[in-house]
């Protein structure tokens, strides 16, 4: 038997559209040639999958390639079902069932009729209690049992191959864990349409010999594969591994696998490799394709979109700085207000004048007016003397309105001889005056808990009678740099391979600027026990710990290793550039943020993830950065898959970006005044296009 030039392995799904972001329990495909696999492809629904498969098979045929396509669902049902479904007394070709289901299934990205069709089939075959079972819809379906409790199956529970493949699932189950029945119902119509499109080029094994240029086979990855590595999406990993192994098979191995002795195989189908598992369990040693892109997403890795990571953080963090103290006003600025604050007095406390002028009662109509003056004046701080009706009084800005004064005319609009004043109307009642409490009423909430106090807040508190404000103590945040290559800034005569530690000074000053209390926990070389001791020290002195470096999964990534060993570790591979790994964990009850080691990535992850989370721990509300849409003064082509942050600054009304995107280019941090945020999908930025700009101080 000839080998196949290209092998495509498909992990199918019977459910609805799974969205734009790659995820598990979705459709994944992977192509491989001679043991070398491409990146797995995520397909959000069956319509996209059918389009992709049709296009790829056509491309391979144009190249003259032989193609084997493996699908992880049953190609047929247990004996007797096909004949009963189609009402035939003679044996039925299983491919006729494909055509029948293609006519009966209605499939759209967000909904399909598989449960209703299963109920129709059950009712047509007898009492409506089988063979299909499992209903995941909110409504009941006549003829389709929700569980196996009231279930009767007139056919065998499993095919012959499934009885031999320990751990496989029955094709009758449509809902719940292991519901491969939905995949079969929704997959066979797609296979029928692909077979119709490519006609005689397609052979379906084991119903037909594998002699054509395109072969469809049924696979079950769990037959030969174990658990996926940590951090990888199982379905994506499985299609890649199966594609690699099948494409590396020799012609002799293919002959052995496709020689089936079971007489049931031609009616019920067969799992490719069953009975010859050892041939597929041998992992070929082949190099990966050269991508030469250190920022490419590793195939099948479960990347977390930025928005999802932020949502997880918001749900996970809580207040750590619980102690409350009263701070005198001038020491409260920059602190987190612990409780709502109400005005003790109104502002202004009394009705007063807003200008220098002359006060009198009521309003004045249009025309000239002359009023006699009382021989006193009202100034700020004076005890007010009542003014008789029909008289005016000289009054200065901020003075309490005396009894008998409701209105003030500007001194610029008045002529006076010292005994009387003359002016023109109209002047409305209450002109140029302030009412008591028109700004703030006594008892009104003026400041809310969680606010970071500003000088303006201090002025408001003082004006309404507060000498102190209740504030939380500052959040204590420790900073550790990890890496045997690090030395203190200023170290002289450093050996080759050593570098100055830039991350720790940067993070310590950032924390102080953000209003937290930074705690310098020093540098730790790549030694797990020394890092453990430093974590112990940090947990006794701080409310949270920031580390840089050691947050991935390499040999010297001790931060993630220790947190994982402590049993409280989440390894987030965030779809962000620069960045990616962010280790989150607890050490003796203290949250630990493991930031990337490259300075630019460390700063971006600190700004986007650590800063708002630490703010909540300090008692603040979650504070996303304030962003501005400004015209670009640069060009940029961005691939899909990750959200990108570019070092940027604003000049002449537009945003310019640093010339290099390298994570080690610290000069770009000093050059920049903020970040440009580019979306998760593909983007093409040209000068003048609006871009999202986040100032560092926002």
């Amino acid at each position: 038997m000839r080998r196949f030039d290209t092998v495509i392995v498909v992990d199918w799904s019977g459910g609805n559209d799974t969205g734009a972001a790659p995820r598990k329990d979705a459709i994944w495909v992977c192509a491989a040639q001679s043991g070398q696999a491409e990146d797995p492809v995520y397909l959000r629904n069956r319509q996209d999958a059918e389009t992709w498969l049709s296009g790829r098979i056509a491309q391979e045929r144009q190249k003259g390639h032989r193609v084997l396509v493996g699908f992880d669902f049953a190609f047929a049902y247990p004996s007797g079902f096909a004949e009963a479904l189609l009402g035939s007394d003679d044996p039925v070709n299983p491919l006729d069932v494909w055509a029948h289901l293609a006519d009966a299934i209605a499939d759209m990205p967000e909904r399909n009729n598989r449960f209703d069709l299963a109920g129709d089939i059950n009712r047509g075959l007898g009492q409506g209690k089988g063979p299909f079972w499992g209903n995941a819809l909110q409504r009941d379906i006549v003829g389709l049992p929700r569980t196996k409790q009231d279930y009767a199956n007139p056919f065998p529970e499993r095919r012959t191959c499934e009885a031999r493949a320990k751990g496989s699932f029955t094709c009758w189950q449509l809902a719940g864990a292991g519901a491969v029945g939905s995949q079969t119902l929704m997959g066979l119509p797609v296979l029928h349409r692909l077979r119709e499109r490519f006609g005689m080029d397609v052979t379906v094994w084991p119903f037909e010999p594998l002699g054509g240029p395109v072969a469809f086979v049924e696979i079950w990855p769990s037959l030969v594969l174990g658990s996926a590595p940590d951090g990888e999406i199982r379905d994506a990993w499985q299609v890649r591994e199966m594609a690699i192994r099948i494409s590396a098979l020799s012609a002799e191995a293919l002959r052995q696998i496709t020689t089936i002795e079971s007489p049931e195989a031609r009616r019920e189908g067969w799992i490719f490799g069953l009975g010859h598992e050892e041939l597929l369990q041998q992992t070929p040693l082949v190099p990966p394709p050269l991508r030469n892109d250190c920022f490419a997403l590793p195939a099948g890795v479960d990347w977390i979109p930025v928005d999802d990571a932020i949502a997880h953080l918001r749900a996970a963090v809580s207040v750590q700085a619980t102690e409350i103290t009263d701070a005198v006003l001038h020491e409260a600025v920059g602190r987190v207000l612990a409780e709502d604050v109400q005005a003790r007095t109104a502002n202004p406390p009394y009705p007063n004048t807003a200008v220098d002028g002359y006060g009198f009662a009521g309003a004045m109509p249009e025309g000239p007016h002359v009023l006699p003056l009382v021989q006193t004046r009202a100034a700020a701080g004076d005890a007010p003397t009542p003014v008789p009706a029909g008289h005016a009084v000289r009054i200065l800005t901020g003075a309490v309105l005396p009894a008998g004064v409701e209105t003030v005319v500007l001194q610029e609009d008045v002529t006076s001889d010292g005994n009387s004043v003359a002016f023109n109307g109209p002047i409305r009642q209450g002109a140029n005056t302030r009412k008591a409490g028109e700004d703030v009423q006594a008892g009104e909430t003026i400041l809310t808990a969680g606010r970071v106090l500003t000088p303006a807040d201090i002025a408001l508190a003082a004006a309404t009678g507060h000498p102190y404000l209740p504030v939380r103590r500052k959040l204590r945040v420790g900073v550790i740099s990890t890496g045997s290559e690090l030395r203190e800034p200023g170290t002289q005569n450093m050996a080759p391979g050593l570098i100055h530690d830039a991350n720790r000074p940067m993070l310590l000053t950032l924390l102080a600027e953000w209003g937290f209390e930074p705690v310098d926990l020093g540098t730790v070389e790549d030694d797990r026990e020394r890092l453990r001791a430093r974590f112990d020290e940090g947990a006794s002195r701080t409310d949270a710990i920031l580390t840089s470096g050691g947050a991935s999964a390499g040999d010297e990534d001790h931060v993630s290793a220790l947190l994982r060993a402590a049993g409280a570790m989440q390894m987030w591979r965030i779809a962000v550039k620069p960045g990616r790994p962010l280790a989150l964990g607890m050490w003796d009850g203290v949250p630990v943020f493991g930031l990337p080691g490259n300075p630019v990535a460390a700063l971006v992850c600190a700004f986007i993830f650590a800063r708002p989370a630490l703010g909540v721990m300090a008692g603040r509300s979650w504070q996303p950065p304030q962003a501005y849409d400004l015209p670009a003064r640069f060009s940029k082509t961005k691939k899909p898959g990750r959200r990108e942050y570019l070092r940027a600054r604003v000049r002449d009304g537009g945003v310019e970006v640093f010339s290099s995107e390298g994570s080690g280019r610290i000069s770009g941090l000093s050059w920049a005044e903020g970040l440009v945020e580019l979306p998760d999908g593909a983007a093409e930025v040209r000068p003048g296009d609006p871009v999202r700009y986040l100032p560092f101080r926002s």
Side-chain angles (χ1 to χ4, degrees):
M1 174 177 289
R2 285 176 54 204
R3 297 180 63 199
F4 289 88
D5 301 294
T6 302
V7 169
I8 301 171
V9 173
V10 185
D11 181 275
W12 200 247
S13 172
N16 293 335
D17 186 290
T18 49
R23 51 162 286 183
K24 63 181 181 179
D25 299 327
I27 298 176
W28 287 87
V29 301
C30 185
Q33 296 179 333
S34 301
Q36 293 197 351
E38 301 171 5
D39 286 346
V41 176
Y42 167 76
L43 298 165
R44 58 188 294 174
N45 55 53
R46 286 175 295 279
Q47 290 71 27
D48 284 358
E50 184 173 344
T51 300
W52 188 96
L53 287 166
S54 181
R56 184 59 186 263
I57 294 171
Q59 290 176 12
E60 296 295 333
R61 290 301 303 125
Q62 288 176 358
K63 297 175 183 177
H65 289 174
R66 294 189 76 224
V67 188
L68 182 145
V69 190
F71 299 86
D72 70 333
F73 54 81
F75 278 13
Y77 290 92
S79 294
F81 174 76
E83 289 75 15
L85 178 69
L86 300 182
S88 174
D89 294 329
D90 298 322
V92 168
N93 186 335
L95 300 181
D96 293 339
V97 175
W98 291 18
H100 178 85
L101 293 179
D103 290 336
I105 284 289
D107 191 10
M108 288 172 281
E110 298 296 341
R111 63 185 185 274
N112 60 74
N113 68 337
R114 68 186 188 275
F115 296 112
D116 293 291
L117 177 61
D120 291 343
I121 293 173
N122 284 356
R123 294 194 302 273
L125 294 178
Q127 299 179 350
K129 294 185 177 182
F132 292 106
W133 63 274
N135 176 10
L137 301 179
Q138 296 296 319
R139 58 182 172 86
D140 290 334
I141 295 176
V142 177
L144 181 63
R146 285 195 176 274
T147 67
K148 293 187 73 174
Q149 184 174 1
D150 186 25
Y151 170 71
N153 189 352
F155 308 107
E157 186 69 12
R158 283 178 167 78
R159 299 178 295 161
T160 302
C161 63
E162 290 162 347
R164 288 186 54 180
K166 294 183 179 180
S168 61
F169 298 94
T170 172
C171 57
W172 305 123
Q173 182 184 348
L174 302 182
V180 298
S182 282
Q183 295 174 226
T184 299
L185 268 184
M186 304 310 297
L188 294 181
V190 174
L191 297 190
H192 174 73
R193 288 190 292 272
L194 290 173
R195 186 167 175 265
E196 279 197 324
R197 172 175 178 182
F198 294 101
M200 297 300 293
D201 279 358
V202 177
T203 57
V204 182
W205 180 86
F207 311 133
E208 301 167 330
L210 291 184
V214 180
F216 289 172
V217 303
E218 176 186 337
I219 62 168
W220 183 41
S222 296
L223 182 70
V224 294
L225 298 179
S227 300
D230 289 344
E232 292 205 43
I233 296 176
R234 179 173 179 267
D235 300 336
W237 176 78
Q238 285 191 339
V239 294
R240 184 179 71 242
E241 288 299 308
M242 288 298 292
I244 289 172
R245 295 167 191 228
I246 295 174
S247 68
L249 291 173
S250 65
E252 175 58 23
L254 275 172
R255 187 194 63 77
Q256 292 182 46
I257 287 176
T258 55
T259 301
I260 303 299
E261 298 178 357
S262 171
E264 301 295 331
R266 289 294 179 93
R267 291 187 297 164
E268 295 184 329
W270 197 260
I271 298 170
F272 184 86
L274 180 63
H276 301 279
E277 289 85 348
E278 73 283 353
L279 296 177
L280 288 174
Q281 286 169 340
Q282 300 171 9
T283 305
L285 185 63
V286 294
L290 179 65
R291 291 186 294 180
N292 197 27
D293 181 4
C294 65
F295 293 114
L297 303 183
V301 171
D302 189 3
W303 290 98
I304 300 178
V306 170
D307 290 338
D308 289 356
I310 289 174
H312 290 326
L313 270 176
R314 290 191 70 164
V317 294
S318 58
V319 177
Q320 302 292 312
T322 55
E323 299 92 330
I324 300 173
T325 186
D326 285 334
V328 296
L329 294 186
H330 70 275
E331 294 180 353
V333 69
R335 302 289 290 275
V336 179
L337 189 66
E339 302 166 357
D340 289 354
V341 174
Q342 289 75 36
R344 292 184 175 181
T345 63
N347 183 50
Y350 308 100
N352 64 86
T353 176
V355 299
D356 291 342
Y358 294 85
F360 50 87
M364 288 295 179
E366 187 173 357
H369 303 279
V370 178
L371 294 177
L373 279 173
V374 297
Q375 296 306 305
T376 60
R377 73 168 192 169
D382 289 347
T385 301
V387 176
H391 286 67
V393 64
R394 172 69 168 151
I395 192 166
L396 304 180
T397 302
V400 175
L401 297 182
V405 173
E406 301 166 311
T407 307
V408 176
V409 59
L410 285 164
Q411 66 178 18
E412 291 84 357
D413 293 333
V414 167
T415 300
S416 175
D417 61 4
N419 295 312
S420 299
V421 292
F423 56 89
N424 278 301
I427 300 177
R428 63 177 177 80
Q429 182 174 337
N432 300 311
T433 64
R434 307 184 185 104
K435 296 184 173 113
E438 73 172 17
D439 179 26
V440 175
Q441 294 285 343
E444 180 182 342
T445 297
I446 56 171
L447 299 169
T448 55
R451 182 179 180 87
V452 180
L453 294 167
T454 67
D457 297 334
I458 302 305
L460 180 58
T464 54
H466 288 277
Y468 306 95
L469 287 174
V471 297
R472 296 186 184 276
R473 67 161 176 80
K474 287 189 175 184
L475 189 78
R476 295 183 293 263
V477 185
V479 178
I480 302 173
S481 284
T482 69
S484 297
E485 75 279 13
L486 299 178
R487 293 295 182 269
E488 289 296 314
T491 302
Q492 302 295 315
N493 302 319
M494 295 199 303
L498 302 181
I499 60 173
H500 294 115
D501 179 13
N503 282 347
R504 201 170 93 258
M506 175 181 70
L507 294 173
L508 289 168
T509 52
L510 274 179
L511 290 169
E513 186 177 272
W514 294 343
F516 309 128
E517 181 182 329
V519 179
D520 187 357
L521 297 175
T523 61
V524 180
E525 59 193 69
D526 294 320
D527 183 295
R528 196 160 300 181
E529 293 310 309
R530 292 188 180 184
L531 182 58
R532 185 195 307 276
R534 199 65 55 89
F535 274 167
D536 289 342
E537 177 190 353
S540 68
R541 298 175 56 192
T542 67
D543 304 297
I545 298 172
L546 292 184
T547 69
S548 61
S552 190
D555 295 345
E556 299 294 346
D557 287 319
H558 300 296
V559 171
S560 51
L562 280 175
L563 294 177
R564 189 177 295 109
M569 160 71 179
Q570 293 188 54
M571 185 65 203
W572 288 6
R573 289 180 173 88
I574 301 176
V576 61
K577 174 184 177 181
R580 290 192 293 185
L582 180 66
L584 300 171
M586 300 289 289
W587 190 267
D588 197 16
V590 173
V592 178
F593 293 77
L595 303 176
N598 282 325
V600 179
L603 179 131
V604 168
C605 288
F607 264 109
I608 303 302
F609 305 109
R611 181 181 188 182
L614 291 171
V616 172
M617 294 166 63
R620 307 174 185 175
S621 58
W622 185 279
Q623 297 173 346
Q626 187 173 10
Y628 304 89
D629 287 336
L630 297 173
R633 298 186 63 198
F634 63 94
S635 297
K636 165 75 175 176
T637 299
K638 177 191 173 296
K639 298 178 182 178
R642 290 200 290 171
R643 188 168 302 181
E644 292 190 19
Y645 293 90
L646 309 177
R647 284 149 283 178
R649 65 186 184 186
V650 176
R651 292 293 185 271
D652 299 326
V655 183
E656 58 186 29
V657 298
F658 192 58
S659 58
S660 171
E661 297 180 19
S663 289
R665 296 289 294 274
I666 305 175
S667 61
L669 294 179
S670 176
W671 174 93
E673 296 163 357
L675 301 170
V676 162
E677 181 183 69
L678 299 179
D680 300 347
E684 188 82 18
V685 180
R686 293 290 177 259
D689 291 346
V691 292
R692 182 177 168 89
Y693 177 68
L694 287 65
F696 284 143
R697 293 193 177 274
S698 75

